Amino acid sequence: MLSFRIVKLGLEGQISETEIPTPGPGEILLEIHACALNFADLLMVEGRYQDTPPLPFTPGLECAGRIAAMGNDISDFQIGDRVAVFGGQGGLAEYGLFDAARAIRIPDSVSYDTAAASMIAYGTSLLALEQQARLQPGETLLVTGAAGGVGLTAVEIGKLLGARVVAQARGTEKLAIAQAAGADHLIDGSEDLRQRLLDLGGADVVYDAVGGETWKAAFRATNPGGRLLPIGFAGGDVPQIPANRLLVKNLTVIGFYLGGLVKLNPEIGRTTFDKLMGWLAEGRITPHISHRLPLAETNRGLALLRDRTATGKVIMQPRAAPLA
């Protein structure tokens, strides 16, 4: 019986082998060539994510590969097609079963690594900034954690939407990466974020991936009528929002979770991911990948996220052999 390897749930990063599954109705069997790690994967394996699947499960929210088999009722794809999948789980394996409705065809010029690195981070930034916050050309966008997996995409998307982008990150190396992605102004994490931002005229839209004291400083430097997006809490602390200050400055705090939106409105997810694949093929966006690691080093990849030493995306490469 043919078998494939998966990463067991848990920080020990164990590898186990199991039989290759057979796709049922509406499912594809994907030979996985690349899986992008997300901070949500780390939270899931630690049992701290708001949408952790029931045990047991295989982590890995987004991946890319070749369709090795599929259910008889699927007409949109063929065996051998290259696709990316935002499956919510199952990407940290050599093979995985996914709902075919979650798959997006990859353009010939786009690599598996690039496709896997693009769905969640770019999808989050595009929908959050364009649809939710309605960022306008000429407005000032603050991106915190701007060299991280989602932050860096917000810098790129913000520039594409015509905003003046202020990037906040810790250290000259991370700031240089944000600048290369299009940031107009840079603020080091050691600086007084509130004062620096006020000196630049304040922020119209805040895209915060850090939380804690960073959120508080950004909140206080948001212009009247501004919109704030609490995207993540990489700093560890979930901030409390003073409602009285929302009233005084007519501020809007917008909750946004890509996975939840895609479940509620699958069509908007498909449209967004198709758009992103087109942008990748045209060279309008370019994912920054700081690490590429084999499946057996998943624990190391998660540690890079936990320690906030990765910039952009970390890609795990199962390097699956083709089915016989």
Side-chain angles (χ1 to χ4, degrees):
M1 175 65 68
L2 292 171
S3 65
F4 72 107
R5 300 184 303 164
I6 64 171
V7 174
K8 280 186 177 179
L9 174 63
L11 294 179
E12 71 278 1
Q14 291 180 331
I15 297 291
S16 65
E17 292 199 1
T18 185
E19 294 180 358
I20 292 178
T22 300
E27 291 182 328
I28 59 171
L29 174 66
L30 192 68
E31 176 190 284
I32 301 170
H33 288 250
C35 176
L37 294 184
N38 290 271
F39 199 76
D41 289 308
L42 179 61
L43 295 178
M44 279 186 183
V45 300
E46 293 177 348
R48 297 190 293 120
Y49 193 56
Q50 68 266 18
D51 195 19
T52 299
L55 294 173
F57 72 92
T58 301
L61 279 77
E62 58 183 339
C63 60
R66 183 187 72 88
I67 295 178
M70 59 187 188
N72 294 328
D73 59 340
I74 297 174
S75 59
D76 294 339
F77 299 107
Q78 296 180 345
I79 292 176
D81 282 350
R82 301 167 69 248
V83 298
V85 179
F86 173 25
Q89 59 175 298
L92 287 171
E94 289 182 337
Y95 296 94
L97 283 182
F98 301 99
D99 184 343
R102 291 266 189 155
I104 298 293
R105 189 170 279 103
I106 303 172
D108 292 341
S109 61
V110 177
S111 70
Y112 289 123
D113 288 5
T114 298
S118 302
M119 301 192 78
I120 292 177
Y122 281 106
T124 294
S125 292
L126 179 57
L127 285 171
L129 293 175
E130 185 176 51
Q131 176 176 296
Q132 304 295 92
R134 303 198 180 281
L135 179 66
Q136 300 299 308
E139 287 191 313
T140 297
L141 166 67
L142 169 68
V143 180
T144 70
V150 292
L152 202 56
T153 65
V155 173
E156 284 189 85
I157 297 295
K159 288 301 294 181
L160 283 174
L161 296 177
R164 180 178 71 142
V165 179
V166 180
Q168 185 258 12
R170 185 169 293 276
T172 56
E173 182 180 351
K174 291 184 177 181
L175 288 173
I177 291 171
Q179 186 174 39
D184 299 289
H185 300 279
L186 307 173
I187 301 177
D188 192 276
S190 63
E191 298 181 83
D192 184 335
L193 174 60
R194 174 177 176 269
Q195 189 57 55
R196 282 292 315 278
L197 193 55
L198 288 173
D199 290 343
L200 292 169
D204 300 304
V205 175
V206 171
Y207 184 103
D208 178 45
V210 179
E213 294 301 316
T214 298
W215 166 272
K216 293 178 183 179
F219 185 92
R220 295 175 65 197
T222 302
N223 293 329
R227 292 87 73 201
L228 299 99
L229 293 151
I231 295 297
F233 315 108
D237 294 327
V238 178
Q240 302 303 304
I241 299 168
N244 60 320
R245 293 187 181 179
L246 294 179
L247 299 180
V248 171
K249 296 175 70 175
N250 290 293
L251 302 177
T252 302
V253 177
I254 305 168
F256 178 71
Y257 166 46
L258 179 64
L261 182 63
V262 170
K263 286 180 182 178
L264 287 173
N265 190 341
E267 185 56 34
I268 196 172
R270 175 171 293 278
T271 300
T272 297
F273 296 140
D274 274 334
K275 183 176 184 178
L276 291 172
M277 289 298 159
W279 281 3
L280 288 170
E282 295 166 7
R284 299 184 69 189
I285 55 175
T286 305
H288 176 81
I289 299 172
S290 64
H291 295 78
R292 291 175 171 86
L293 302 170
L295 186 67
E297 294 186 30
T298 297
N299 191 45
R300 179 187 166 198
L302 292 172
L304 290 168
L305 301 186
R306 185 187 308 109
D307 300 336
R308 297 173 64 181
T309 53
T311 55
K313 301 292 285 189
V314 175
I315 296 293
M316 309 309 300
Q317 298 176 316
R319 297 189 177 88
L323 283 171

